[in-house]
Amino acid sequence: MSKSIFSNIDQGDMTDLDSKKITTLYIKGQKIFYPGQLPIGVYCMSSGIVKLSKLGENGKEQIVRFAKGGELLGIRALLAGRKYSTTSTALEDSMVCFINKRMFFKLSLKYPYISQKVLTSLSHLLEEAEERITSMAQRPVRERLAESLLFLSCLFKTGEAYCDDPSNGIISLTREDIASIVGTATETVIRILSEFKEDELIKIKGRKIVINDVPGLRKIISSYP
Amino acid sequence: MSKSIFSNIDQGDMTDLDSKKITTLYIKGQKIFYPGQLPIGVYCMSSGIVKLSKLGENGKEQIVRFAKGGELLGIRALLAGRKYSTTSTALEDSMVCFINKRMFFKLSLKYPYISQKVLTSLSHLLEEAEERITSMAQRPVRERLAESLLFLSCLFKTGEAYCDDPSNGIISLTREDIASIVGTATETVIRILSEFKEDELIKIKGRKIVINDVPGLRKIISSYP
DNA sequence: TTTCTTATATGATAATTGTCAGTTTTGTAA
DNA sequence: TTACAAAACTGACAATTATCATATAAGAAA
C-alpha cells in the first residue's frame, strides 16, 4: 500500500472520494484498459505493478513503462483528451481504484498540489522515456539487459524503480516480457541470461531471476573502452 | 512566426510580458542551454527549429526531440525543478524569447489555459517518446530512416512534425545528425540514403536531401510480411 | 580562385542480433 | 501423481548493422 496522491485532501473531500471511487483487485495477467478506449476517469494504484505496452507494426508487444503503487494510471490519455495508446496489464495482483474525471478535475482544481504533482510526474516520465530512447539507440542488448535487470529487481523488491540495493529481488517475468522491455528477441535474452548465470551475476530458479552481483552488472552497463 | 502560447492574455499582462521577456536570435549551431544548468525560466520559440540532444555513455550524441515555433523550450526541467537533461541547439536561425520563472508561474496561475496547454503538450511529448521507443526497439534502421525523413521534411518545410505533403521539403542536416536521430552509425545512414536515391525515393543535392516519392517511403515504413 | 578542413561516400570485414527448427524443462491442472 | 501445454533453452545459420580504412566531394575561408 503506497501513499496516494490524494492523501492530503481534507476530511470532507476524502469521505466524498472514498464513497465515489471504485476499487478493484486486478489479478496477475488481467488488463485494466486497452488502446482505443476513451478515458472517462483516472486509475490510481494502491499496490502492485502494471505494465504499459504498445503493439509494434509487426504485432510484437513493446513494454514502454511500468506503473506502481502510489501512481496514477491512464492520466496521460485523460489529460491529452485522447484515447489510451497503450494496454495496461497487471504483472502482480494489484489494487487499483478508479476515479471519474469529474471528481478528479474537481479535486485537482481545488488542490493545486495535485496538478503540480501530475506535472512533475509527467516531466519525470518524459525524461525517463528520453533516457530510454538514448539507451535503445546506443547501447548493445547486453548492456540494456543488465540495466533492465537492476531496474526490475528494484521494482519487484521495493515497488520502486530505483533502490540502493537491487540484489535479492525476485524478477518474475517471462523471458518474452523481458525481451519486450529490452527491445530484442526472446532467444537473445535467454542466451545472455545464461551467460550472466555462468558468470554468477544472477541466479536462475526455474523461471525466476534473482540478482547476485550488483557491481558486476553495473560494470557491464558502463563498459565503454 | 508561430502563434505563442501567451497570445490570449489580456492587454496589461501582454505589455508587462513584452517589457520583461528577453528575445534573442540564435543563429544556426548556437546552443540555448546545456545539461546541468538549473532553469531560471522558460524559453518560448517564435520561429526556427531547435534540436534537443543527450550524450550517451560513449559520448555519442542522441537527438531526443525537436522544438519548433510556438512551443515552449526547457519547460520540462523547470516544472520538474531539475537541471536540464539535454542540450538545445538551433538547427536554423531561431527567434527565442526567455521568460523568467516568476513571470511564467504568475501567468500560468492567472490563466489556467496555460497550465492546461502545458499539460497536454507534455502528454503528447510522452506519447511521441513512447512511440519512438517502440520504433527503435522493433523497426530496422531502413524503416526508421524512412520515417525520420518524412518527419524531417515536414519539419523543415512547414515547421510542423506532421504535414499532408512531406515532399519538396529541404532537409538540411548533416548525415551525422540524421544518424543520431535514427539511432545508427553515420555510414549506415549514408548507405541507405544512397539506396533511396538509387530508387528515386529522394534527391540528394550536395548535402541537402529532398523527398521525391512520399508513397514509396511510406511503403518502406509499413513493410511487414 | 585556390586551399583546406570537414563531410560524404565506398569497400572490406567483423560483430551483433535475429530467425527457424528442434529439444528440454517448468508449472499447472486434471 | 501424471499429463500436457507453455515457456525456456540450444544450435545452426542468415541478416543486419557497426567499425575501420581510405577515397572523394563539398563548401567555407583566405
Side-chain angles (χ1 to χ4, degrees):
Chain A
M1 280 293 192
S2 298
K3 204 180 167 197
S4 157
I5 186 178
F6 302 107
S7 52
N8 289 356
I9 63 179
D10 66 33
Q11 196 59 52
D13 288 322
M14 187 61 99
T15 317
D16 192 22
L17 177 60
D18 281 341
S19 73
K20 294 219 177 100
K21 75 181 184 192
I22 303 163
T23 304
T24 311
L25 172 68
Y26 290 88
I27 64 165
K28 186 174 174 175
Q30 266 191 311
K31 295 186 197 306
I32 298 159
F33 55 72
Y34 294 85
Q37 294 176 334
L38 207 56
I40 54 169
V42 68
Y43 298 88
C44 67
M45 295 198 48
S46 46
S47 69
I49 302 175
V50 165
K51 69 173 172 182
L52 295 166
S53 59
K54 279 179 179 285
L55 284 186
E57 188 73 18
N58 45 20
K60 205 175 139 193
E61 183 189 30
Q62 178 65 34
I63 297 180
V64 294
R65 89 185 119 97
F66 297 90
K68 45 196 191 294
E71 292 185 356
L72 294 179
L73 184 64
I75 184 75
R76 196 206 56 73
L78 180 67
L79 291 174
R82 317 187 102 229
K83 295 171 178 170
Y84 295 116
S85 65
T86 57
T87 305
S88 59
T89 313
L91 289 179
E92 308 179 324
D93 296 357
S94 304
M95 290 293 294
V96 180
C97 70
F98 178 80
I99 298 167
N100 73 52
K101 60 180 174 184
R102 176 192 302 270
M103 174 65 110
F104 175 73
F105 287 128
K106 198 188 86 180
L107 287 175
S108 65
L109 220 67
K110 177 161 177 192
Y111 300 96
Y113 87 87
I114 292 179
S115 315
Q116 182 56 35
K117 179 96 190 289
V118 168
L119 224 52
T120 59
S121 145
L122 278 176
S123 298
H124 282 129
L125 291 178
L126 183 58
E127 168 155 22
E128 279 170 15
E130 291 177 347
E131 199 53 63
R132 186 110 178 273
I133 289 170
T134 307
S135 176
M136 292 289 244
Q138 302 193 353
R139 286 182 185 289
V141 175
R142 192 184 174 75
E143 295 178 23
R144 299 207 304 273
L145 178 57
E147 210 168 41
S148 297
L149 289 177
L150 289 176
F151 162 82
L152 290 169
S153 187
C154 283
L155 189 63
F156 278 95
K157 186 182 177 184
T158 68
E160 292 296 322
Y162 305 99
C163 62
D164 289 336
D165 178 19
S167 61
N168 297 320
I170 296 165
I171 300 173
S172 178
L173 281 178
T174 65
R175 306 295 186 256
E176 196 181 354
D177 265 351
I178 296 175
S180 104
I181 297 162
V182 173
T184 188
T186 307
E187 294 91 329
T188 305
V189 166
I190 290 173
R191 266 179 256 272
I192 302 178
L193 284 178
S194 301
E195 290 173 31
F196 285 176
K197 183 186 164 191
E198 192 65 27
D199 299 343
E200 298 188 328
L201 297 168
I202 60 172
K203 288 176 194 152
I204 295 181
K205 302 178 177 183
R207 52 192 52 158
K208 297 195 168 63
I209 298 167
V210 178
I211 289 183
N212 196 40
D213 179 358
V214 177
L217 284 171
R218 291 233 168 91
K219 202 172 163 192
I220 286 177
I221 296 172
S222 54
S223 67
Y224 59 106
Chain B
M1 280 296 188
S2 298
K3 204 182 166 196
S4 156
I5 187 179
F6 302 107
S7 52
N8 289 356
I9 63 179
D10 67 35
Q11 196 60 49
D13 288 323
M14 188 59 100
T15 317
D16 192 23
L17 177 61
D18 281 342
S19 73
K20 293 218 177 98
K21 75 181 184 192
I22 302 164
T23 303
T24 310
L25 173 68
Y26 291 88
I27 64 165
K28 185 174 173 174
Q30 267 191 311
K31 294 185 198 310
I32 298 160
F33 55 71
Y34 295 86
Q37 293 177 335
L38 207 56
I40 54 169
V42 68
Y43 298 87
C44 65
M45 296 198 48
S46 46
S47 69
I49 302 174
V50 164
K51 70 173 172 182
L52 295 166
S53 59
K54 278 180 179 284
L55 285 187
E57 187 73 18
N58 45 19
K60 205 174 138 193
E61 183 189 30
Q62 177 65 34
I63 296 179
V64 294
R65 88 186 120 96
F66 297 90
K68 46 196 190 296
E71 292 186 355
L72 294 178
L73 185 63
I75 184 76
R76 197 206 57 73
L78 181 66
L79 291 174
R82 317 187 102 230
K83 295 171 179 170
Y84 295 116
S85 64
T86 57
T87 305
S88 58
T89 313
L91 288 179
E92 310 178 325
D93 297 356
S94 303
M95 291 293 295
V96 180
C97 69
F98 178 80
I99 299 167
N100 72 52
K101 61 180 173 183
R102 175 192 302 270
M103 174 65 110
F104 175 73
F105 287 128
K106 198 187 86 180
L107 287 175
S108 65
L109 222 66
K110 176 161 176 191
Y111 300 97
Y113 86 88
I114 293 180
S115 315
Q116 182 55 34
K117 179 97 190 290
V118 168
L119 254 135
T120 58
S121 145
L122 278 176
S123 297
H124 281 129
L125 291 177
L126 183 58
E127 169 154 21
E128 278 170 15
E130 291 178 346
E131 199 54 62
R132 186 111 179 272
I133 289 170
T134 307
S135 175
M136 292 288 247
Q138 302 194 353
R139 286 183 186 287
V141 174
R142 192 185 175 74
E143 295 178 23
R144 300 207 303 272
L145 178 56
E147 210 168 40
S148 298
L149 288 178
L150 289 176
F151 163 81
L152 290 169
S153 186
C154 284
L155 190 63
F156 278 96
K157 184 182 178 184
T158 68
E160 293 296 322
Y162 304 98
C163 61
D164 290 336
D165 178 19
S167 61
N168 297 320
I170 296 166
I171 301 173
S172 179
L173 282 178
T174 65
R175 306 294 186 257
E176 196 181 354
D177 266 352
I178 296 176
S180 104
I181 297 163
V182 174
T184 187
T186 308
E187 294 92 327
T188 305
V189 165
I190 291 172
R191 265 180 255 273
I192 302 179
L193 283 178
S194 301
E195 290 173 30
F196 285 176
K197 183 186 163 192
E198 191 64 27
D199 299 344
E200 298 188 328
L201 297 169
I202 61 172
K203 288 178 194 153
I204 295 181
K205 303 178 177 183
R207 50 193 52 161
K208 297 194 168 64
I209 298 166
V210 178
I211 289 183
N212 197 40
D213 179 359
V214 177
L217 284 171
R218 291 233 168 92
K219 202 172 163 192
I220 286 176
I221 296 171
S222 54
S223 67
Y224 60 106

